[in-house]
Amino acid sequence: MTQSEKTYKHMIGEDLELLNFKELQCLEKKIKLSVRKIHSRKEKMLLEHIRSLKVKEKSLTVENANLVNKEKSLTVENANLAKRIEKSRTQHFNIDIMEGVTNDLETQQDPPQTDLNLVLS
């Protein structure tokens, strides 16, 4: 077994019975230092992730506000289009009624006149 394999086993808590008190203290000190480094790195990563999430939150908040404004604008535009369509339907209805009246008037022509000559004697 190589020295690095032995060190690894000691670091994970195996084969500790081979170590004397001073070696165990040294191992403990190294492990505590390693744990502090690990915690420090982990904390740094979490802070970076939190910053990243805050940036994303801000971006999504802006995007949401833009979408709310767009929705409001489309609602107003939709209402205006509905009014225009209703107005257009009313105008077409009035035109259709007028065309019907005109057609009725055209079909109600005076009956043909015949010449009637009366002679008085």
Side-chain angles (χ1 to χ4, degrees):
M1 188 181 314
T2 65
Q3 184 60 36
S4 62
E5 289 173 329
K6 287 179 185 177
T7 303
Y8 174 76
K9 284 194 175 252
H10 295 154
M11 290 293 233
I12 62 171
E14 294 179 5
D15 295 339
L16 297 178
E17 60 278 344
L18 302 174
L19 300 177
N20 63 38
F21 185 77
K22 189 169 185 156
E23 290 171 325
L24 284 172
Q25 281 183 320
C26 184
L27 178 61
E28 182 180 26
K29 188 176 181 181
K30 286 179 184 178
I31 290 174
K32 282 182 180 182
L33 180 62
S34 294
V35 168
R36 274 188 250 136
K37 287 180 180 180
I38 290 167
H39 283 178
S40 176
R41 175 65 181 138
K42 185 175 148 186
E43 184 178 354
K44 188 176 183 179
M45 289 177 73
L46 286 172
L47 290 173
E48 287 173 8
H49 188 63
I50 289 169
R51 278 189 216 110
S52 169
L53 290 174
K54 284 182 179 182
V55 167
K56 188 173 182 179
E57 177 190 25
K58 190 173 187 176
S59 171
L60 289 173
T61 301
V62 168
E63 182 180 355
N64 188 49
N66 289 339
L67 288 172
V68 165
N69 289 336
K70 187 173 183 179
E71 187 265 342
K72 286 178 183 178
S73 173
L74 289 173
T75 300
V76 168
E77 185 178 339
N78 190 28
N80 290 338
L81 285 173
K83 287 177 186 176
R84 287 175 53 199
I85 289 171
E86 186 58 34
K87 185 177 180 182
S88 175
R89 284 183 183 158
T90 303
Q91 288 173 346
H92 284 297
F93 180 71
N94 289 340
I95 290 171
D96 289 344
I97 289 175
M98 292 305 294
E99 286 177 357
V101 169
T102 303
N103 287 341
D104 286 348
L105 290 175
E106 289 173 359
T107 57
Q108 293 178 1
Q109 294 176 354
D110 293 332
Q113 293 183 354
T114 58
D115 290 333
L116 180 66
N117 291 328
L118 293 176
V119 179
L120 294 172
S121 16

